[in-house]
Amino acid sequence: MTDDSRTPRHGFATRQVHAGDVRGDGINSRVTPVHLTAGFVFDDFAQAEDRFSGADDGFSYTRLANPTNAAVERRIAALEGGTEAVLVGSGQAAVTVAVLGLLQAGDHLVSANSIYEGSRGLFLDNFARLGIETDFVVDANDPLAWELAVRPTTRAFFVESIPNPKNDIVDLALVAEVAHRHGIPLIVDNTFATPYLLRPLEHGGDVVVHSASKFLAGHGAVLGGVVVAGSTFDWDGTAADGTARFPHLTNPVRSLGDRSFAQRFGRGAFLAYARDVVAARLGPTPSPLNAFLIQQGIETLSLRVDRQSSSALAIASWLEQRPEVASVDHAGLPSSAYHELAQRYLPDGQGAVFAFTLHGGLEAAKTFYDRLELFTRMTHLGDVRSLVLHPATTTHAWRTPEQRAEAGIAPGLLRLSIGVEDPADLTADLAQALAGLPRAAAAPAPDAAATADAATADVASAGSGATAPAPTSASARSGVPA
Ligand SMILES: *Cc1c(COP(=O)(O)O)cnc(C)c1O
């Protein structure tokens, strides 16, 4: 029996270690065990029959459900404020299950342009081959752009709450308003924010997806993904021509006794379908061992994200003052065009991943990248260890130079994912890697006295080479929650 009575009224940190716990299973192991088994014993003929008919909701086969995986699903649903969740083997599997749980051949998806490259590939290649077309909105905060992209066949909007590497925060309520006016659900990839910093369902999102491989698991050891749904979207809607918008949710099905998913599960119809028909059939089931490790990670989520997020802001402001750095894309910085949105949606921290661009372009980026000693060169993020990536030659390499320029991915741009290390050690590593790289040729910005002061301070300390930089006000602030 799920001990939900203790969860809704408790704070996030309490829920991250208690929500979804099971009591009264006769074993009472304190930590949900790893139920590493393909299937579960049927006591007798009648029970086997009942498990298949649904008359008995016990476990039968791990692809359909597993107690370890189910415990993680309940916990993540509780943290996101959703009613239910389905755990899958990766973030890409989560995006796939969410989209295929809503759209079919002939349907249309509208996505923000600034999204994870793997999701972009799914939309442009894989879903296109299945007859699902995607249009991309370049300015995700322009309601008219979403409005103009809607077709009679549009069945979902897709955004990321904190897109990377540019940290171009999305105004979720604004996008949700347009979506709902057209009877369309909004899917939000919340990987970078985590439910600790932002819960999209509270801002109009209808479906939340995560790569649990990142902050949720947090230790870079496993892959996982999750789809979470709230309980507000009405799946019964009809399109302008009177036909059902989501016929797979509203047509009767034999396995439900000739009732539809909407009749049987109400507003939970989408998640029931995504779980029982999409995930169970396509089979992206996570190993219960991976689910266990994700659960372990979640138990320290708020502590890690607090630390990583405040360190990231401190390091971003430190980098912004360096003469080798042309710009920093961190929504927590007052210089960011997304600062106001970040204050509104992410008051407790703006995440631990950001980018910065070197004056010296590609050559400087190469030198900097290869000099780093503490940062790990890796395509991953949300790890307890700090990581570095050069998007233009890796994640975004297959885009044309024009597309990269449009996305703000300059040749000198580097992405950092800040871990839980001591911030002073991280800035020391960055400082030794920056030493001697090309600096801005131009005079200081005319309007920013603070920038001019910082530049002077940097000139004064120039030549310190590989030694650790003197602490700045930014790094001194790093232990203070934002
Ligand atoms: C990593 C990532 C994914 C894909 O997740 P995997 O677990 O690698 O499959 C999807 N969305 C975002 C925002 C990601 O960062």
Side-chain angles (χ1 to χ4, degrees), residues 307-308 311 374-376 383-387 417-426:
R307 162 82 175 199
Q308 291 173 249
S311 293
L374 198 50
F375 280 79
T376 304
D383 197 302
V384 288
R385 287 153 284 255
S386 293
L387 315 175
S417 174
I418 302 300
V420 300
E421 301 97 331
D422 291 294
D425 292 333
L426 296 174

Side-chain angles (χ1 to χ4, degrees), residues 86-101 115-127 130 158 160 164 187 189 191-192 208-214 222-227 278-279 282-285 379 381 395 398:
V86 56
L87 193 72
V88 290
S90 69
Q92 288 300 94
V95 175
T96 302
V97 167
V99 171
L100 296 185
I115 59 167
Y116 180 71
E117 284 296 295
S119 302
R120 192 181 165 83
L122 263 180
F123 299 169
L124 286 171
D125 297 335
N126 306 70
F127 294 158
L130 299 177
F158 184 94
E160 293 180 0
N164 100 90
I187 307 172
D189 183 332
T191 298
F192 281 69
V208 175
V209 295
H210 280 277
S211 168
S213 325
K214 313 293 170 52
V222 295
L223 300 192
V226 67
V227 182
V278 185
L282 297 184
T285 316
T379 177
L381 57 100
T395 51
W398 68 272

Side-chain angles (χ1 to χ4, degrees), residues 189-322:
D189 183 332
N190 198 34
T191 298
F192 281 69
T194 83
Y196 176 60
L197 297 177
L198 175 68
R199 289 165 300 281
L201 299 176
E202 295 173 0
H203 300 280
D206 301 292
V207 175
V208 175
V209 295
H210 280 277
S211 168
S213 325
K214 313 293 170 52
F215 292 97
L216 293 179
H219 297 74
V222 295
L223 300 192
V226 67
V227 182
V228 190
S231 58
T232 51
F233 197 85
D234 180 5
W235 306 105
D236 271 315
T238 49
D241 64 0
T243 56
R245 243 182 243 283
F246 301 100
H248 59 293
L249 302 181
T250 52
N251 288 344
V253 287
R254 276 200 62 194
S255 63
L256 297 178
D258 284 329
R259 292 197 295 163
S260 70
F261 273 82
Q263 285 167 331
R264 169 71 181 76
F265 299 102
R267 305 237 158 153
F270 157 74
L271 204 97
Y273 185 88
R275 173 198 298 284
D276 297 347
V277 182
V278 185
R281 297 261 176 72
L282 297 184
T285 316
S287 163
L289 178 59
N290 289 4
F292 174 84
L293 291 168
I294 293 167
Q295 178 93 306
Q296 292 278 297
I298 288 171
E299 299 191 340
T300 56
L301 180 67
S302 68
L303 306 174
R304 287 183 285 107
V305 172
D306 243 352
R307 162 82 175 199
Q308 291 173 249
S309 206
S310 61
S311 293
L313 179 56
I315 292 167
S317 20
W318 179 84
L319 276 169
E320 199 172 39
Q321 296 168 9
R322 294 289 311 199

